Amino acid sequence: ILADIQEEREAQLYEGPAEQYLQTIPRGYVDMILTSPPYYSLEMYGGGDQSVKPGMSWESWVSTWLRPVILECLRCLTPNGVSCWSVKNIKIGGRQYPLADVVRDIHAEQGFTILETFTLQGPGRPGVTKPSEEQTFVFQSAFAEGRLRIVS
C-alpha cells in the first residue's frame, strides 16, 4: 500500500472517537482509512464514551454505530482512496457475531470491492492468553479511476 503513496504527501493520524471526528473531515479529503474498530462489547476502553451503550443489542450497535462510522469513512475518501478494516468474526458468551462479514457487506453495498486481505496473528488482547487472528481487508471503490497496487 505504501508503495503508491508519494514521498511528498503528508500523513495525518487521528486518534479519538471516530463517530465524532469523521463529521469534521470534508468529503473526498482522505486517501486511506486504516482502523481496527471496537469489537462490539468485547473491547471496552478505559475512558470516555464507548461505542456500546449498556444493554445495547448487536443489531442496534451495527445500525447506530458501526454502519454510520463506515459510511462516514467512505464519504471522506478520495475517489481512488482505500478503506482498510482489521476485523474478525467474534464469539462472546457463546454467541457468534459476524463483525467481519458485516464490514464486508456494508462496503459492498456502497460499491467497494476487496483488493487484498492480510491475516495478522498476535498475542491477543491484554490479559488474554490465546492467540488472536484477524484479517485486514483493503477495500476500494469499484468505480475508482486507478486501482491501487498492493505490494506485500
Side-chain angles (χ1 to χ4, degrees), residues 58-121:
W58 162 257
E59 294 78 11
S60 179
W61 180 75
V62 168
S63 67
T64 63
W65 191 87
L66 183 62
R67 177 178 292 278
V69 166
I70 292 173
L71 295 179
E72 276 296 296
C73 285
L74 299 181
R75 179 192 65 77
C76 295
L77 284 177
T78 60
N80 292 330
V82 293
S83 177
C84 308
W85 289 69
S86 186
V87 293
K88 65 180 180 178
N89 292 329
I90 55 176
K91 187 175 184 179
I92 303 171
R95 180 174 172 196
Q96 291 288 127
Y97 297 93
L99 178 59
D101 298 341
V102 169
V103 168
R104 284 192 308 262
D105 290 347
I106 294 170
H107 278 81
E109 290 166 10
Q110 300 303 310
F112 281 70
T113 58
I114 296 175
L115 293 179
E116 185 72 54
T117 302
F118 301 94
T119 300
L120 305 174
Q121 296 180 341

Side-chain angles (χ1 to χ4, degrees), residues 4 7-8 12 16 33 62 71 127 142 151:
D4 283 346
E7 287 184 32
E8 67 273 5
Q12 294 177 333
I33 298 287
V62 168
L71 295 179
V151 178

